[in-house]
Amino acid sequence: MRYQLQGLFAYEAIGEISAGRLCVGARIRIVREPHNAYDPNALKAILEINGAKLGYLPKEQAKKIVSKSIGVLHAKVIEVGITNKRSKKLVPYCT
């Protein structure tokens, strides 16, 4: 499955991209955050190498995953970039 994280600017993702730790192939954990004030199904993404909080999975995707899974999910980064709001194109940060 492919997921696009949200909240990259609010958390540590941009700094991790700049430092070269968040790149294609990096390992991340998807962890449930049941006490999240905004969404009881919230799933946050954490960089495994240092525990940096990267952002959240979109609300609808998180709801589907939570209904099927209980534990921590592990994933690999397949693409890194920021979506340009005007053109909706992915601007790559590292390869």
Side-chain angles (χ1 to χ4, degrees):
M1 291 185 169
R2 187 177 179 147
Y3 303 105
Q4 191 169 11
L5 297 180
Q6 297 180 333
L8 297 175
F9 289 101
Y11 301 102
E12 302 171 56
I14 301 303
E16 295 302 316
I17 292 169
S18 297
R21 290 183 289 266
L22 178 55
C23 286
V24 173
R27 294 179 181 271
I28 60 173
R29 285 181 285 143
I30 308 297
V31 181
R32 188 162 182 208
E33 199 175 68
H35 302 295
N36 183 296
Y38 301 101
D39 180 9
N41 295 312
L43 291 172
K44 64 183 174 182
I46 299 171
L47 191 59
E48 283 193 3
I49 193 168
N50 64 359
K53 184 175 181 179
L54 304 175
Y56 288 87
L57 269 67
K59 201 172 193 172
E60 287 303 312
Q61 289 177 335
K63 186 176 180 179
K64 290 177 187 175
I65 292 170
V66 167
S67 70
K68 296 176 184 177
S69 175
I70 297 171
V72 174
L73 303 173
H74 296 270
K76 270 192 176 180
V77 175
I78 59 168
E79 189 172 37
V80 177
I82 303 299
T83 303
N84 179 319
K85 288 184 180 185
R86 184 172 280 178
S87 68
K88 299 292 183 189
K89 290 183 180 176
L90 189 73
V91 179
Y93 271 80
C94 58
T95 56

